[in-house]
Amino acid sequence: MYACRRLLFAVFAATCLTSKADSQILTPKPQPAPRVNGPTIYGARPGHPFLYRIPAQGERPMKFSVKNLPNTLQLDPDTGIISGTTPGRGTYNLRFKAKNKHGSSQRTFRLVSGDTLSLTPSMGWNSWYAHYSRITDKMMREAADIMISTGMADVGYQYVNVDDCWMNTDVGNDPQRIGPFRDDHGTIMPTKHFPDMKGLADYIHSKGLKAGLYTSPGPLTCTHCGGAYEHEAQDAKQFADWGFDFLKYDWCSYGHITPRTAPLPELKKPYATMGALLQQQNRDILYNLCQYGMGNVWEWGTEVGGQSWRTSGDLGFELSKIFAVALKNSEHRAFQKPGGWNDPDYIQIGYIGNARGGGLPAPCPFTPTEQYSFMSLWSLMASPLFYSGDMTKLDDFTLNVLCNPEVIDINQDALGEGANVLRLTPTTFIMVKNLEDGGQAIGLCNASEEQTSMTANWSALGFKSKQHVRDVWRQKDLGKMKQFDTIVPKHGVVLLRVSN
Ligand code: GLA
């Protein structure tokens, strides 16, 4: 009898625990039938190597096919990986199809072969806020494996990027990381934790993903590793030869060459230099300018070849202020468009390290509501979506926040607008993002310390008739409405998609 009661209690406790965790998961699990995801427009440069893994959720095995695939490209029908050479200039209207025993799904994909890359914000993972100087080749490969195995790649995450600390330093306790910055030929030297940079990029590519790395225009990176100063051309070529597809260029010690207060041409110079060099390589290399917003970088980021530019300092130091950071970033919305994006820094949810002490990954300081808010705000702003937490500790909740394809569709929308902000009170605001299909994404945002009732008043938003309203996190239609009233929790964002 006692044993039976104990069993009952155990079942009850397990149920409570499960339902608590489950109640935080708003999004229905992906169906076994295929669902093709990802951007509907994609820029690549003619004649360059092309690599794209069609993002598709659903049970494997799955068979992929592509309509109108240019003959310079090949598709692996089992993996959905397209490779080859980008065809000549022009727009190619492709149609992706994925099929399995449960059904099929299609999606259009406009391949624009021309000068402009990143027609939608880039998506991926960055090592910094999880691993700092602990990063190794092994962790990078593991991150690529996990991007596939968790389904992150099936909703569009694509870049696997190492941040600072892949190259030798002259400080610290780890002898594997200490060594000369360059060899006798002037080639930048990775740490012993990165024995084969080309092998690493090849490994990431073998999964259909893309590889990114980091350096500084200064002699030193922010953690005292070797930077690119006076070796820019050699490094740009080396990064391309290794096969990297993304470069983050971080100001760091460049302040010793040019003070931050220098005239604008001086602030632009190192970025223009590297931008031109990257464009000379026989690869599409996305270029992320990281100089914390100096000299109103949003006004000239595209001009120096950047596809994205950080609009402020490190978000890791400001995690208690994600609403304020989003509002500040949104002030520059007019300067972003397909090909060039404001970057308010990485998504730091799940397990993250401690930015101040470089500590080991631990649960992030956010409530579940705040984690949804983080992703909602970044999607509404059309910000690059880089997860920067510990991939080995991703749980169902974190994956559900990162991987809702309807939320990602808002971020990746082909129109490329950042949401307009309508301030209602000092702590509440509505964000409205126009979408390519004529609809809007709307976020009702409550940065206050208490839950509050909020209304999205259609006439204030410029709508003349009732609107179909969809709850994007729950993937649920709510009906046709004259206006939308809701209670938004403390630090919450209610994310909707509305259409006529
Ligand atoms: C700066 C950048 C961060 C990160 C670190 C690495 O602080 O803003 O994103 O790259 O350097 O040292």
Side-chain angles (χ1 to χ4, degrees), residues 36-37 57 67-68 78 97 109 147 157 227 242 262 267 291 337 400 434 447 459 470:
V36 181
N37 296 308
Q57 292 170 299
K67 205 167 147 196
N68 297 336
D78 298 318
K97 185 171 179 190
F109 184 84
M147 193 175 277
Y157 292 91
W242 282 335
L267 299 180
Q291 43 82 289
K337 59 175 188 301
N400 129 90
N434 293 316
S459 55
R470 186 162 170 87

Side-chain angles (χ1 to χ4, degrees), residues 128 163-164 214 222-223 248 250 290 292 310 314:
W128 182 244
D163 205 274
D164 201 352
Y214 162 108
C222 294
T223 63
K248 172 173 173 183
D250 191 357
C290 179
Y292 337 119
R310 278 269 298 277
D314 290 14

Side-chain angles (χ1 to χ4, degrees), residues 193-381:
H193 295 297
F194 284 88
D196 181 3
M197 292 298 277
K198 176 154 179 10
L200 173 59
D202 287 348
Y203 182 81
I204 294 171
H205 292 157
S206 73
K207 315 240 148 199
L209 302 174
K210 297 190 176 122
L213 47 41
Y214 162 108
T215 190
S216 168
L220 297 170
T221 70
C222 294
T223 63
H224 241 262
C225 297
Y229 185 61
E230 292 183 331
H231 293 269
E232 294 84 357
Q234 187 173 9
D235 287 358
K237 181 168 182 316
Q238 182 68 76
F239 300 160
D241 288 351
W242 282 335
F244 280 84
D245 310 289
F246 187 111
L247 176 70
K248 172 173 173 183
Y249 209 39
D250 191 357
W251 178 268
C252 298
S253 68
Y254 199 82
H256 299 304
I257 313 292
T258 295
R260 287 168 176 233
T261 48
L264 188 56
E266 297 293 306
L267 299 180
K268 284 167 129 175
K269 192 171 135 202
Y271 286 91
T273 302
M274 182 53 85
L277 288 163
L278 292 178
Q279 283 179 35
Q280 287 166 22
Q281 310 305 317
N282 180 35
R283 287 195 77 74
D284 291 351
I285 302 179
L286 292 201
Y287 185 31
N288 173 231
L289 319 184
C290 179
Q291 43 82 289
Y292 337 119
M294 283 185 287
N296 293 350
V297 64
W298 41 88
E299 292 174 6
W300 48 269
T302 302
E303 182 193 317
V304 297
Q307 280 76 34
S308 59
W309 41 83
R310 278 269 298 277
T311 50
S312 55
D314 290 14
L315 184 57
F317 298 134
E318 300 200 83
L319 286 183
S320 59
K321 300 188 202 149
I322 53 164
F323 283 91
V325 168
L327 284 168
K328 192 91 204 111
N329 184 68
S330 296
E331 286 174 14
H332 318 307
R333 64 183 281 270
F335 296 97
Q336 72 174 37
K337 59 175 188 301
W341 308 96
N342 294 318
D343 171 12
D345 213 348
Y346 307 132
I347 308 275
Q348 294 164 65
I349 62 174
Y351 275 68
I352 56 170
N354 170 348
R356 292 197 190 275
L360 286 166
C364 68
F366 297 117
T367 63
T369 298
E370 289 166 339
Q371 298 185 54
Y372 283 114
S373 297
F374 207 143
M375 191 71 187
S376 301
L377 292 167
W378 263 235
S379 294
L380 285 159
M381 291 188 293

